[in-house]
Amino acid sequence: MTSDMPLARTRAKLAAFVALAAAGAGAGISWWAVGVLLLTTAAIVVAAGLLGGPRLVRALLCLPSRPQPVRHRTERTKPDARLRSSGRTPAQPR
C-alpha cells in the first residue's frame, strides 16, 4: 500500500462506529442519530477508497490472513557407524 493511512487505527474507529450504531439502535435512540453513525461509517470506507483505492478498502474491511505455518526442514543425519559396519540400515530388521 502506498497510502499513509494507519490501518489498525482506522479499523478500530470503523468498528467503534458500527458498535455505537448497533448499540444505539438496540437502546432505542432516535433514528437520525443511528443514521449519522452509519453515514460516518460509510464515510470512513469512502475516504479509504479515495485515498488508497480498492486494495485499501479490502485491507480495511478484511482481517489479515492467518500466517501460514512454517515447515521446518529436517536434517538427514548420517547413519550411525555401527550400522555402517554391519551393512544394515535402520529400516532393516536383524
Side-chain angles (χ1 to χ4, degrees), residues 5-93:
M5 186 176 201
L7 198 58
R9 193 178 338 168
T10 307
R11 266 193 199 127
K13 289 178 183 178
L14 187 67
F17 278 110
V18 169
L20 284 172
I29 66 170
S30 62
W31 61 270
W32 63 268
V34 174
V36 167
L37 288 168
L38 290 175
L39 283 174
T40 305
T41 303
I44 292 172
V45 176
V46 168
L50 291 175
L51 182 64
R55 288 181 72 188
L56 184 60
V57 172
R58 267 187 253 120
L60 179 66
L61 296 178
C62 301
L63 294 176
S65 62
R66 290 184 184 167
Q68 297 297 322
V70 177
R71 287 187 176 177
H72 296 287
R73 290 182 57 183
T74 57
E75 286 188 30
R76 294 183 179 225
T77 57
K78 294 181 180 177
D80 192 9
R82 291 175 291 162
L83 293 174
R84 270 188 273 143
S85 64
S86 68
R88 288 182 289 130
T89 61
Q92 293 176 336

